Amino acid sequence: MKRTALSTLCLILILTAQSYAQSQISAAMPETKESSRFDAEWRLRLAGSDVHDERSQSKVVDIRTDIKAKYLLSRSLQLDIQPSLRLQSGQTQSVDGADRAENKIILNQAAAHYLPFSALRLSAGALNQRHMHTNLLVDGIAFPAARLEALMKAGLTKTSLSVESAIPTSTSLSTNTKELEKTPSLNTAALKFQMQAAQNLFWKSSVGYFMYNNLPSAVAQQSNLLGNEVEKLSEAQYAFMYKYEGIEAATEFEFPVFSLFDFRAGGEYLQNTKAPSDQNTATRYFAAGEFHFGKNTDLVIEGSYFSIAPEAAVAYFNAGGFETNRVGYSAESYLSFKKEGFNIGVKYTDSEVMFNRDPQSREKTLMIKLETFYANI
């Protein structure tokens, strides 16, 4: 009798919990038809770059195909896969053999997102770090990670509080660790705010705290060529001089000045609190104007200034955009053809070293690029 009563009570609790979960899921995500569970889009990018410094030079043609594919497994669980196919051809001459042309498949993201209800999202997999970090700290690459986000929306504003634990890796998802080395980690907490009244009228800001742990010798060795100061323990062992832990912040806004011109500006700030004050800070400021020539064509002109001290970031993980021990500027202009669905433009970057070090020298980069808009597959 007791067993029957206990079984009945358990069944009631299970059915109640299931009913509650289903009601939360229904509130979190709208009813989805079978035909709309899968959504995929792609774009094509073509770029030619000419890079010169005192020790190396390269002329490379880069062709990339980016894909974003999403599949709704249920009303609360979504798969998010974003691979890129990169084909490169050209000539590269450098002392350390870096920046050579390379063909590869890059995984920008491969994640599962779970929304038990509208105010909470859990994500796990290879998560793109641009969601949590500024351009100064990490490139837009994927790290194996788990993320928890609390979401709130009120009128025109969106706010989120996120925490993430990641394993910093290369683009091939390798940790670069050797025997007896501990698994590296990157732990982050971030608060984001966005107010958007229209596509060309918005303000968004973020602030976060980051902490690297157990960075391997191979990462230290490569970072030494890219701006960080490291200690050589032996012929094959290297270690960073300082720990990388600190704060980062970013803000960006855009508004229409008049009907044919929009203005956009912003900035980023990064500080490694574990390094000396004269070597631990990075900043970036940018401003852009968007001119509308009718409904079909836009001209965008953008300029930026950046200053990245030697120990502000781990150079191995931000080298795709900046490296460390660099100060410089970039100027970019492109035409956007909305009806045809592509952008074409040119970008110039001049990057000088802050402190003289043998592996680095002044670098000038000229890039011409063509990029299509994302289109449904």
Side-chain angles (χ1 to χ4, degrees), residues 99 130 135 138-141 226 315-323:
D99 299 325
R130 191 53 50 81
N135 297 271
V138 182
D139 294 330
I141 56 179
L226 301 167
Y316 180 78
F317 297 120
N318 81 337
F322 296 100
E323 301 181 5

PDB file of all heavy atoms in Angstrom, residues 99 130 135 138-141 226 315-323:
ATOM      1  N   ASP A  99      52.594  33.575 -40.893  1.00  0.00           N
ATOM      2  CA  ASP A  99      51.737  34.214 -41.899  1.00  0.00           C
ATOM      3  C   ASP A  99      51.839  33.572 -43.275  1.00  0.00           C
ATOM      4  O   ASP A  99      51.583  34.210 -44.295  1.00  0.00           O
ATOM      5  CB  ASP A  99      52.074  35.714 -42.018  1.00  0.00           C
ATOM      6  CG  ASP A  99      51.856  36.454 -40.719  1.00  0.00           C
ATOM      7  OD1 ASP A  99      50.912  36.103 -40.004  1.00  0.00           O
ATOM      8  OD2 ASP A  99      52.642  37.359 -40.423  1.00  0.00           O
ATOM      9  N   ARG A 130      34.034  36.336 -29.749  1.00  0.00           N
ATOM     10  CA  ARG A 130      33.646  37.712 -30.008  1.00  0.00           C
ATOM     11  C   ARG A 130      32.361  38.070 -29.252  1.00  0.00           C
ATOM     12  O   ARG A 130      32.099  39.245 -28.979  1.00  0.00           O
ATOM     13  CB  ARG A 130      33.478  37.924 -31.516  1.00  0.00           C
ATOM     14  CG  ARG A 130      33.322  39.367 -31.946  1.00  0.00           C
ATOM     15  CD  ARG A 130      34.416  40.290 -31.427  1.00  0.00           C
ATOM     16  NE  ARG A 130      35.755  39.817 -31.664  1.00  0.00           N
ATOM     17  CZ  ARG A 130      36.406  39.950 -32.814  1.00  0.00           C
ATOM     18  NH1 ARG A 130      35.813  40.500 -33.852  1.00  0.00           N
ATOM     19  NH2 ARG A 130      37.650  39.538 -32.918  1.00  0.00           N
ATOM     20  N   ASN A 135      37.689  43.165 -29.347  1.00  0.00           N
ATOM     21  CA  ASN A 135      38.678  42.853 -30.383  1.00  0.00           C
ATOM     22  C   ASN A 135      40.099  42.895 -29.837  1.00  0.00           C
ATOM     23  O   ASN A 135      40.991  42.221 -30.354  1.00  0.00           O
ATOM     24  CB  ASN A 135      38.562  43.853 -31.538  1.00  0.00           C
ATOM     25  CG  ASN A 135      37.227  43.776 -32.241  1.00  0.00           C
ATOM     26  OD1 ASN A 135      37.039  43.019 -33.170  1.00  0.00           O
ATOM     27  ND2 ASN A 135      36.286  44.587 -31.790  1.00  0.00           N
ATOM     28  N   VAL A 138      40.747  39.137 -27.736  1.00  0.00           N
ATOM     29  CA  VAL A 138      40.686  37.858 -28.450  1.00  0.00           C
ATOM     30  C   VAL A 138      40.137  38.072 -29.854  1.00  0.00           C
ATOM     31  O   VAL A 138      39.214  38.867 -30.048  1.00  0.00           O
ATOM     32  CB  VAL A 138      39.795  36.843 -27.694  1.00  0.00           C
ATOM     33  CG1 VAL A 138      39.784  35.505 -28.416  1.00  0.00           C
ATOM     34  CG2 VAL A 138      40.259  36.647 -26.264  1.00  0.00           C
ATOM     35  N   ASP A 139      40.703  37.352 -30.810  1.00  0.00           N
ATOM     36  CA  ASP A 139      40.138  37.349 -32.164  1.00  0.00           C
ATOM     37  C   ASP A 139      38.767  36.670 -32.155  1.00  0.00           C
ATOM     38  O   ASP A 139      38.378  36.043 -31.173  1.00  0.00           O
ATOM     39  CB  ASP A 139      41.064  36.590 -33.122  1.00  0.00           C
ATOM     40  CG  ASP A 139      42.398  37.292 -33.301  1.00  0.00           C
ATOM     41  OD1 ASP A 139      42.436  38.536 -33.204  1.00  0.00           O
ATOM     42  OD2 ASP A 139      43.406  36.599 -33.523  1.00  0.00           O
ATOM     43  N   GLY A 140      38.076  36.768 -33.277  1.00  0.00           N
ATOM     44  CA  GLY A 140      36.776  36.103 -33.393  1.00  0.00           C
ATOM     45  C   GLY A 140      36.930  34.618 -33.675  1.00  0.00           C
ATOM     46  O   GLY A 140      36.543  34.135 -34.742  1.00  0.00           O
ATOM     47  N   ILE A 141      37.506  33.877 -32.726  1.00  0.00           N
ATOM     48  CA  ILE A 141      37.742  32.444 -32.880  1.00  0.00           C
ATOM     49  C   ILE A 141      36.929  31.687 -31.845  1.00  0.00           C
ATOM     50  O   ILE A 141      36.445  32.248 -30.867  1.00  0.00           O
ATOM     51  CB  ILE A 141      39.243  32.094 -32.737  1.00  0.00           C
ATOM     52  CG1 ILE A 141      39.789  32.606 -31.401  1.00  0.00           C
ATOM     53  CG2 ILE A 141      40.031  32.686 -33.887  1.00  0.00           C
ATOM     54  CD1 ILE A 141      41.244  32.271 -31.173  1.00  0.00           C
ATOM     55  N   LEU A 226      55.129  37.822 -31.064  1.00  0.00           N
ATOM     56  CA  LEU A 226      54.013  38.699 -31.404  1.00  0.00           C
ATOM     57  C   LEU A 226      53.841  39.858 -30.434  1.00  0.00           C
ATOM     58  O   LEU A 226      52.856  40.584 -30.518  1.00  0.00           O
ATOM     59  CB  LEU A 226      52.710  37.884 -31.457  1.00  0.00           C
ATOM     60  CG  LEU A 226      52.697  36.738 -32.466  1.00  0.00           C
ATOM     61  CD1 LEU A 226      51.513  35.819 -32.226  1.00  0.00           C
ATOM     62  CD2 LEU A 226      52.672  37.282 -33.883  1.00  0.00           C
ATOM     63  N   ALA A 315      49.208  37.673 -26.823  1.00  0.00           N
ATOM     64  CA  ALA A 315      49.356  38.020 -28.239  1.00  0.00           C
ATOM     65  C   ALA A 315      48.974  36.872 -29.168  1.00  0.00           C
ATOM     66  O   ALA A 315      48.520  37.100 -30.288  1.00  0.00           O
ATOM     67  CB  ALA A 315      50.780  38.478 -28.518  1.00  0.00           C
ATOM     68  N   TYR A 316      49.143  35.634 -28.734  1.00  0.00           N
ATOM     69  CA  TYR A 316      48.821  34.484 -29.580  1.00  0.00           C
ATOM     70  C   TYR A 316      47.334  34.464 -29.932  1.00  0.00           C
ATOM     71  O   TYR A 316      46.954  33.999 -31.006  1.00  0.00           O
ATOM     72  CB  TYR A 316      49.200  33.196 -28.854  1.00  0.00           C
ATOM     73  CG  TYR A 316      48.929  31.931 -29.626  1.00  0.00           C
ATOM     74  CD1 TYR A 316      49.780  31.520 -30.648  1.00  0.00           C
ATOM     75  CD2 TYR A 316      47.826  31.135 -29.336  1.00  0.00           C
ATOM     76  CE1 TYR A 316      49.531  30.357 -31.365  1.00  0.00           C
ATOM     77  CE2 TYR A 316      47.571  29.968 -30.036  1.00  0.00           C
ATOM     78  CZ  TYR A 316      48.423  29.578 -31.047  1.00  0.00           C
ATOM     79  OH  TYR A 316      48.163  28.429 -31.755  1.00  0.00           O
ATOM     80  N   PHE A 317      46.484  34.997 -29.045  1.00  0.00           N
ATOM     81  CA  PHE A 317      45.039  34.919 -29.256  1.00  0.00           C
ATOM     82  C   PHE A 317      44.441  36.186 -29.856  1.00  0.00           C
ATOM     83  O   PHE A 317      43.253  36.195 -30.180  1.00  0.00           O
ATOM     84  CB  PHE A 317      44.340  34.591 -27.930  1.00  0.00           C
ATOM     85  CG  PHE A 317      44.712  33.256 -27.370  1.00  0.00           C
ATOM     86  CD1 PHE A 317      45.301  33.140 -26.119  1.00  0.00           C
ATOM     87  CD2 PHE A 317      44.500  32.096 -28.098  1.00  0.00           C
ATOM     88  CE1 PHE A 317      45.651  31.905 -25.605  1.00  0.00           C
ATOM     89  CE2 PHE A 317      44.848  30.855 -27.594  1.00  0.00           C
ATOM     90  CZ  PHE A 317      45.432  30.756 -26.341  1.00  0.00           C
ATOM     91  N   ASN A 318      45.219  37.269 -29.989  1.00  0.00           N
ATOM     92  CA  ASN A 318      44.665  38.466 -30.635  1.00  0.00           C
ATOM     93  C   ASN A 318      45.487  38.901 -31.844  1.00  0.00           C
ATOM     94  O   ASN A 318      45.300  39.989 -32.385  1.00  0.00           O
ATOM     95  CB  ASN A 318      44.563  39.622 -29.628  1.00  0.00           C
ATOM     96  CG  ASN A 318      45.876  40.355 -29.408  1.00  0.00           C
ATOM     97  OD1 ASN A 318      46.953  39.803 -29.636  1.00  0.00           O
ATOM     98  ND2 ASN A 318      45.802  41.593 -28.938  1.00  0.00           N
ATOM     99  N   ALA A 319      46.417  38.029 -32.303  1.00  0.00           N
ATOM    100  CA  ALA A 319      47.330  38.385 -33.390  1.00  0.00           C
ATOM    101  C   ALA A 319      46.620  38.554 -34.729  1.00  0.00           C
ATOM    102  O   ALA A 319      47.131  39.248 -35.615  1.00  0.00           O
ATOM    103  CB  ALA A 319      48.433  37.333 -33.513  1.00  0.00           C
ATOM    104  N   GLY A 320      45.469  37.921 -34.915  1.00  0.00           N
ATOM    105  CA  GLY A 320      44.756  38.063 -36.178  1.00  0.00           C
ATOM    106  C   GLY A 320      44.300  39.479 -36.438  1.00  0.00           C
ATOM    107  O   GLY A 320      44.124  39.888 -37.590  1.00  0.00           O
ATOM    108  N   GLY A 321      44.113  40.258 -35.357  1.00  0.00           N
ATOM    109  CA  GLY A 321      43.681  41.629 -35.520  1.00  0.00           C
ATOM    110  C   GLY A 321      44.733  42.660 -35.194  1.00  0.00           C
ATOM    111  O   GLY A 321      44.910  43.641 -35.914  1.00  0.00           O
ATOM    112  N   PHE A 322      45.475  42.444 -34.072  1.00  0.00           N
ATOM    113  CA  PHE A 322      46.356  43.511 -33.609  1.00  0.00           C
ATOM    114  C   PHE A 322      47.766  43.066 -33.211  1.00  0.00           C
ATOM    115  O   PHE A 322      48.731  43.735 -33.517  1.00  0.00           O
ATOM    116  CB  PHE A 322      45.708  44.211 -32.404  1.00  0.00           C
ATOM    117  CG  PHE A 322      44.425  44.917 -32.741  1.00  0.00           C
ATOM    118  CD1 PHE A 322      43.207  44.343 -32.462  1.00  0.00           C
ATOM    119  CD2 PHE A 322      44.450  46.154 -33.360  1.00  0.00           C
ATOM    120  CE1 PHE A 322      42.024  45.001 -32.779  1.00  0.00           C
ATOM    121  CE2 PHE A 322      43.279  46.817 -33.682  1.00  0.00           C
ATOM    122  CZ  PHE A 322      42.059  46.238 -33.388  1.00  0.00           C
ATOM    123  N   GLU A 323      47.947  41.965 -32.491  1.00  0.00           N
ATOM    124  CA  GLU A 323      49.150  41.639 -31.736  1.00  0.00           C
ATOM    125  C   GLU A 323      49.241  42.590 -30.534  1.00  0.00           C
ATOM    126  O   GLU A 323      48.338  43.399 -30.298  1.00  0.00           O
ATOM    127  CB  GLU A 323      50.429  41.743 -32.580  1.00  0.00           C
ATOM    128  CG  GLU A 323      50.466  40.841 -33.801  1.00  0.00           C
ATOM    129  CD  GLU A 323      51.764  40.984 -34.585  1.00  0.00           C
ATOM    130  OE1 GLU A 323      52.669  41.713 -34.134  1.00  0.00           O
ATOM    131  OE2 GLU A 323      51.867  40.364 -35.651  1.00  0.00           O
TER     132      GLU A 323
END
